[in-house]
Amino acid sequence: LLQQSLALAPTEPAWYDALASLHSALGDRDGHAAVWKQRALHAETRRALALEQYGAWQAAQDAYAECMSRWQAGEMTLVNTPQPELALWEEGIVRSAKALNQWELLSEYAKAWPGSQPALLMECAWKSADWERLRDLFRRCDMRSQAALKMLQTYAAIHDGKLAEAEGRCNEGIQIALAQWCSLPPVSLSSHTHLLQMFQQFQELQE
């Protein structure tokens, strides 16, 4: 429906934003990039997206960061960048940092926006084996139940030696992941791959 709407109104930014958001939620990075290559105002954005698609993470991160720096410096060619494209640059830097295992950098970024980045803060604490901070985040952050959250809670419970709690959290995570799997479209997308990896992690945690 969104693609049909886009065909009828190809100059309406809202359709591009909605379609890109849907591709992102499905984990379809190629579809997301394809939409943004039509939507992007600047050639620099399309270049950064292409580098990311090729898996050139350091080059992609540098390209996104350069766009952000030039915009902040008030360069005339980028000063008119719309807010969604600015957000895309920021998200691209974060994705690249994850791929490059730059968890210290991500932790500093997430701490600067603690109210809006609780999931990233938790992931950074887990990757850094900062279990005390991770438990504190569980207490302070009100997040809806997600398979990824249950997985982190399982890891923390195992670290604390609370095996019964770990088993319960693990089972809850599997049920949430199964519900998410059933909600996906039947076509093959990378979102299925992510969930398969998550099921494997839950299996290893159970063992």
Side-chain angles (χ1 to χ4, degrees), residues 122-135 159:
M122 289 180 188
E123 190 175 3
C124 289
W126 169 53
K127 290 289 187 177
S128 305
D130 190 346
W131 302 107
E132 184 175 348
R133 179 169 179 77
L134 185 58
R135 286 190 293 270
H159 180 267

Side-chain angles (χ1 to χ4, degrees), residues 80-105:
N80 62 338
T81 305
Q83 187 60 41
E85 197 160 341
L86 291 173
L88 179 75
W89 295 348
E90 187 174 353
E91 292 162 4
I93 292 172
V94 170
R95 285 193 302 272
S96 302
K98 285 186 177 184
L100 294 167
N101 289 313
Q102 296 173 340
W103 297 105
E104 186 175 343
L105 173 66

